[in-house]
Amino acid sequence: MSDIEEASDTLAEVNLDDTLKPLTENLESDPNSSLKDIVVTIGATVPTGFELTAADEVKEKLGSQSKISKDRGKIYFEISLEKLSQVHRLRSVDNLFVIVQEFTDYQFKETKEDTLKDLEDLVKKLPWTDPLKVWKLNTNLKKKKTKHKKQNQQSSASKEKLNDDGGKDRANQKDADKELLDHAQNTPDLKSAEQNTEKTQEIIVADDQSDGKDEFLTITGNENQAGDCKKGEAEDQVLKFRVTCNRAGDKHSFTSNDAARDFGGAVQDYFQWKADMTNFDVEVLLNIHNNEVVVGIALTEESLHRRNITHFGPTTLRSTLAYGMLRLCDPQPTDIIIDPMSGTGAIPIEGATEWPSCYHIAGDNNPQAVKRAANNICSLLKKNQNKESGTSWGIPIDTIQWDICNLPLRTSSVDVIVTDMPFGKRIGSKKKNWDLYPACLMEMSRICRPGTGRAVLLTQDRKCFAKALSKMGHLWQKGHTVWVNVGGLHAAVYLLKRTLERAGEKRSYW
Amino acid sequence: MKLLTHNMLTSHVRGVRPGGGFPLRIQATEVKVNNVDFNQEFVARMIPKVEWGALLEAAESLGHLSDLPHQLPPEYENNEDFLRKVHHVLLEVEVMEGILKCPDSGREFPITKGIPNMLLSEEEET
């Protein structure tokens, strides 16, 4: 059976449950299907509460409609394989995976033993072929980016360390990987993907700089050895894998560990892969939420949520959350967007990266925070610098040290305010918030442009915020509220619109 | 600190007359010039948001006035030559070290490594 025919067969199986509501895409592939015609379902984890924002971004950047899972914080959408590299351009997603199969109403057996046996048996019945193709393609795309990155960056001690670690298994794998790489480079359909790697490059590079040191070691290890292995003869790939299981629901007779272990055992028997909890190639995901079971393969190695940040502070916001908040206020070109309590600058930096036609200002009263923000901006500048020769490039962002209760800004000079307000837990205190929040809202209303201005504010201290806001109905009109989960705390993101009324000046600058 | 930012900054020391804290006078000891992608529309739409006189004054104090006119030329939106010059002073010139001085009170705010420190002491706060 030819590769294509095999793909066609399994494709019929892969998609889709009725509930997934397939798009206009034609799922009956003909024998001459190419990457363009193979449609896969991608799952993405997003900050809880921002599912709609993420779906919006998917629509905008990939043209696909999304389904939002009942299991909060996940969305699903379909794309044709040729668009795969573009999913890495999504800024509102933390992790991506390709769906192997989704069961919307899985019937679990009565006993634990039976249930687990069932899951084991499931392995050989699943349509692995296409999802694995996606995984392979994705891995190749990442390798290309790594090659780019390696040419641009200085070597570090960690790379040298890994050179010594070459084991027999890794050597085999590298040969196979190199083969895949060669194969991939010969595939014409990847041309469009290649054009995108330039843009997507920055995601991997940022990951590298962030706390994902392990990933850096893994990636560069691959690259080094692939480069060194001149002969690529090994045909079989001894892949390493692990199974990650997330389980939620009251009526299950088993734990996520049970499921991961047994499912993993069956996967190992079926594929003859090697199980490895830390240095894996393939991460199989088993997500169980009541009666909804989703089997997937991870496409991201570590969460994308810490991109752009190299210097962390005590409360650094996830970049995906920062992106979601910025998107909520619908930035327009030339909007002046400030974060008056920016900490390490997560929000303005995300803003400057994604909305470069706006102008971003980060401000904080804390000298360490200001320093960290400046360092993060420096890292971002260096990253941009790599592509050019010598000249230093700028980005539309500035940092200032100031006091939010007394902002040194002209009245009505700012279009958008986006900030993560002190929860009163890691920073400040609930007691301080009673004075701080009203003062903040007041000062923010002064600098914000009446009529068109808006603010997006994240806080966990909802009571205090509601009270402070209730006294300012004449200046701030409450819009949409998004309920989110930040580090285990139930928080809210408030969208406020600045009314036409001019702020009463207790001190008039202008 | 870019000049676009400077254009929004004002002194907020207690006792300063309304409007007296703007614009802050720049005394720069270190200035950096970057390359920033020119976006014609961005510059054209930003001009109405800035205080033109203050921008010229700031550019001049840094020696980057070049030949920017005192009055905005009519239909500047399509004048690429002019807009490129504005782009240069707004986004490409950065004060790395120096002082911002309040024109009314004389209070000095330091700029270190490109970051102005606008914090006031308790007595100075309004």
Side-chain angles (χ1 to χ4, degrees), chain A residues 332-336 338 356-361 364-367 370-371 374 381 391-403 406-411 413-415 446 449 506-510, chain B residues 1-12 16-23 32-37 39 41-43 45-46 49-51 90-91 94 113-120 124-126:
Chain A
Q332 298 300 306
T334 68
D335 267 352
I336 297 182
I338 72 155
S357 59
C358 298
Y359 191 71
H360 306 266
I361 301 183
D364 204 289
N365 63 351
N366 183 307
V370 167
K371 217 197 297 182
L381 282 170
T391 48
S392 71
W393 287 85
I395 39 178
I397 186 170
D398 238 339
T399 315
I400 305 178
Q401 189 171 0
W402 64 32
D403 173 8
N406 217 332
L407 290 169
L409 292 169
R410 285 193 281 121
T411 301
S413 56
V414 163
D415 296 292
R446 183 184 66 77
R449 235 182 277 279
K506 67 174 165 128
R507 26 156 212 279
S508 48
Y509 305 166
W510 274 94
Chain B
M1 183 199 67
K2 300 185 179 55
L3 291 187
L4 175 50
T5 305
H6 166 264
N7 200 266
M8 295 166 53
L9 288 176
T10 168
S11 161
H12 46 320
V16 164
R17 291 165 297 150
F22 180 88
K32 193 166 83 147
V33 179
N34 301 313
N35 270 325
V36 180
D37 282 331
N39 180 336
E41 213 193 305
F42 178 90
V43 183
R45 285 167 70 163
M46 201 52 103
K49 292 185 184 179
V50 305
E51 287 292 319
L90 274 181
L91 300 171
E94 248 187 296
K113 295 195 182 141
I115 304 171
N117 182 346
M118 309 299 295
L119 290 176
L120 296 172
E124 289 171 312
E125 280 176 19
T126 20

Side-chain angles (χ1 to χ4, degrees), chain A residues 72 87 99 219 248-249 270 289 302 308 325 394 421-422 464 469:
Chain A
R72 291 194 81 202
V87 299
I99 304 264
I219 294 171
Y270 185 69
H289 185 253
E302 59 148 38
N308 295 337
M325 286 173 66
M421 303 188 62
C464 188
L469 189 61

Side-chain angles (χ1 to χ4, degrees), chain A residues 234-246:
Chain A
E235 279 301 316
D236 53 287
Q237 322 152 23
V238 182
L239 291 177
K240 294 202 212 140
F241 81 103
R242 82 164 185 195
V243 173
T244 306
C245 176
N246 286 311

Side-chain angles (χ1 to χ4, degrees), chain A residues 5 15 18 84 87 136 210 243 251 255 260 327 330 399 450 466:
Chain A
E5 283 167 53
N15 301 314
D18 282 341
L84 184 63
V87 299
K136 246 191 231 176
S210 70
V243 173
K251 306 204 183 94
T255 66
R327 220 184 143 95
D330 192 22
T399 315

Side-chain angles (χ1 to χ4, degrees), chain A residues 422-425 427-438 461 464:
Chain A
F423 286 13
K425 285 206 168 349
I427 292 279
S429 69
K430 286 280 163 73
K431 194 154 161 227
K432 281 196 193 143
N433 284 352
W434 285 110
D435 290 324
L436 180 66
Y437 278 26
D461 200 347
C464 188

